[in-house]
Amino acid sequence: MSLTQALLGLLALEPASGYELSKEFERDLGRYAWYASHTSIYPELIRMTGRGLVEVTGEGARRSRTYEVTDKGREELRKWLLSPPDLGRVRNEQVLRMFLLDALEPADALILLRRFAEGMEQGAATLAELRVRHDEKAPTGRDGLGVLAAEYGLRQYEAMRGWALWAIERLERTPEA
């Protein structure tokens, strides 16, 4: 995935300025899915305009520009959303830690797993709160997509916590632990 697809997706929901887009990345989008700073957003919007994916539909104070996705941009977004995800290159610090558990003494591995389970429980609680703030009756539009994404994240946290509890139980059964 690239910043282009994230920006296309946000602009497909509603036209926005670079400032408004950067604020989206500072909220839940940046925390749970994809982070981008304003220093990368503005140059990307210029490139996307040059490629015909977005267009400037308004100008405001301090040279603020409002961007809107074009038909070409909507088609590129649709193509990306419906294509299989690229699973070839992954950087996930938590998964790396789990791959390297055997480098720890069993007692330390249990400490790491317990902390991981607690972190997943806290993450699930945060997302459960977020989900409650959105209207469950309207699963479309920006707020509705928030509900769907929050539920996805909540279930991920619950699954990872369940795995950690399973791993703890297995390690506690081994004689060295």
Side-chain angles (χ1 to χ4, degrees):
M1 183 183 137
S2 74
L3 179 56
T4 299
Q5 282 77 25
L7 291 170
L8 285 173
L10 290 172
L11 292 171
L13 296 173
E14 131 182 63
S17 68
Y19 175 79
E20 292 166 329
L21 291 166
S22 67
K23 289 298 176 192
E24 286 289 332
F25 285 97
E26 289 175 9
R27 291 191 275 273
D28 296 329
L29 180 65
R31 181 174 180 197
Y32 294 108
W34 188 267
Y35 177 76
S37 68
H38 70 279
T39 57
S40 58
I41 292 169
Y42 287 97
E44 188 62 26
L45 287 169
I46 291 168
R47 283 190 288 275
M48 291 167 64
T49 302
R51 292 177 52 203
L53 302 175
V54 299
E55 62 186 357
V56 176
T57 57
E59 294 197 30
R62 295 189 210 139
R63 296 178 13 184
S64 169
R65 295 183 176 127
T66 299
Y67 294 87
E68 190 169 330
V69 69
T70 63
D71 289 341
K72 181 179 179 182
R74 283 185 192 282
E75 183 54 36
E76 181 160 318
L77 176 63
R78 180 181 181 280
K79 181 179 170 184
W80 176 76
L81 283 169
L82 295 176
S83 68
D86 177 14
L87 301 176
R89 296 181 191 176
V90 176
R91 284 187 174 173
N92 185 321
E93 184 178 338
Q94 285 297 356
V95 173
L96 179 60
R97 288 172 188 260
M98 298 312 132
F99 267 95
L100 301 176
L101 270 175
D102 287 341
L104 293 173
E105 294 296 322
D108 287 337
L110 284 168
I111 290 170
L112 179 99
L113 287 167
R114 286 185 184 114
R115 286 180 184 162
F116 180 76
E118 288 170 12
M120 296 303 105
E121 187 173 12
Q122 290 169 357
T126 300
L127 279 177
E129 264 182 51
L130 179 67
R131 186 183 60 185
V132 168
R133 285 189 244 146
H134 292 280
D135 181 8
E136 292 275 357
K137 296 178 183 174
T140 59
R142 187 168 246 149
D143 284 343
L145 290 172
V147 170
L148 297 177
E151 183 67 26
Y152 177 82
L154 178 61
R155 290 179 187 215
Q156 261 191 327
Y157 277 122
E158 289 170 348
M160 289 186 287
R161 181 177 178 271
W163 171 85
L165 294 174
W166 170 84
I168 289 167
E169 190 268 325
R170 289 195 48 118
L171 276 178
E172 288 177 335
R173 280 193 284 153
T174 61
E176 302 98 33

